[in-house]
């Protein structure tokens, strides 16, 4: 993907793993491949508490040579990234924002801070834009949306940033 993009657009690589060690390894692989940033999903197959989530992301961010985007996707991992943990992690200089695919608007409102925020749940993109999301980062689960309505998704984001008001 990095080779195909050929510097025309930044490539965000999705990384993460059940263990911190493996998540660091996949993040370093993404950096070595030329990714501009990594979107690191919460650990899966385990049930970490808020302190463990903080430690997981802080260790990955410290070991990464490229910026880290926190990724909350409870439907995939069954792990919810608490808004106060997001706020605490936002102080780390290598953590640059949050991608939220939870579809939970209460979470999106609570987690919307000063960092970048990307919508990851297509049906909520307009709502998350209002909450200061910078755009829609559609992953593999959203590829059907892109294939069927790709230009419409682009149009929604473009219209929002050019003054259109969702009513």
């Amino acid at each position: 993907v990095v080779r195909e993009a050929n510097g025309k657009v930044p490539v965000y690589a999705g990384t993460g793993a059940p263990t911190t060690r493996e998540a660091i390894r996949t993040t370093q692989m993404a950096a070595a491949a030329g990714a501009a940033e990594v979107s690191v999903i919460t650990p899966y197959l385990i049930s970490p508490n808020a302190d463990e989530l903080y430690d997981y992301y802080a260790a990955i961010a410290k070991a990464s040579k490229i910026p880290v985007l926190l990724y909350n996707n409870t439907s995939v991992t069954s792990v919810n990234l608490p808004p106060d943990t997001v706020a605490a992690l936002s102080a780390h200089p290598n953590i640059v924002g949050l991608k939220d695919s939870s579809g939970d608007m209460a979470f999106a409102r609570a987690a919307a801070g000063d960092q970048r925020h990307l919508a990851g749940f297509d049906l909520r993109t307009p709502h998350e834009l209002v909450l200061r999301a910078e755009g829609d980062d559609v992953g593999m689960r959203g590829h059907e949306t892109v294939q069927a309505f790709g230009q419409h998704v682009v149009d929604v984001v473009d219209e929002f940033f050019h003054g259109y008001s969702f009513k």
Side-chain angles (χ1 to χ4, degrees):
V1 174
V2 172
R3 188 172 35 247
E4 186 67 28
N6 197 26
K8 295 176 190 160
V9 293
V11 174
Y12 294 0
T15 65
T19 67
T20 304
R21 180 179 298 147
E22 183 67 11
I24 288 171
R25 188 180 75 75
T26 60
T27 297
Q28 290 173 335
M29 287 172 54
E37 292 185 8
V38 287
S39 173
V40 181
I41 198 163
T42 53
Y44 42 90
L45 306 176
I46 60 172
S47 299
N49 64 34
D51 290 336
E52 292 165 333
L53 285 168
Y54 179 90
D55 293 344
Y56 172 81
Y57 280 108
I60 295 165
K62 181 178 179 184
S64 180
K65 294 180 180 177
I66 58 177
V68 172
L69 197 63
L70 308 175
Y71 182 17
N72 191 49
N73 192 340
T74 55
S75 67
V76 170
T77 65
S78 299
V79 174
N80 191 42
L81 191 54
D84 56 336
T85 303
V86 172
L89 286 164
S90 71
H92 194 289
N94 206 28
I95 294 177
V96 296
L98 169 72
K99 174 183 174 183
D100 177 38
S101 294
S102 70
D104 179 351
M105 293 311 296
F107 170 81
R109 274 191 300 279
D114 293 333
Q115 290 192 322
R116 269 193 7 245
H117 180 112
L118 295 173
F121 188 81
D122 301 340
L123 298 176
R124 298 278 187 238
T125 297
H127 301 92
E128 292 204 36
L129 289 170
V130 171
L131 294 173
R132 298 186 33 227
E134 286 187 8
D136 189 358
D137 180 9
V138 180
M140 289 306 292
R141 292 188 66 196
H143 74 280
E144 297 91 354
T145 303
V146 172
Q147 289 174 349
F149 305 105
Q151 189 58 51
H152 296 293
V153 173
V154 170
D155 291 346
V156 165
V157 175
D158 282 348
E159 289 291 332
F160 179 83
F161 287 112
H162 293 96
Y164 182 82
S165 175
F166 294 103
K167 295 178 182 166

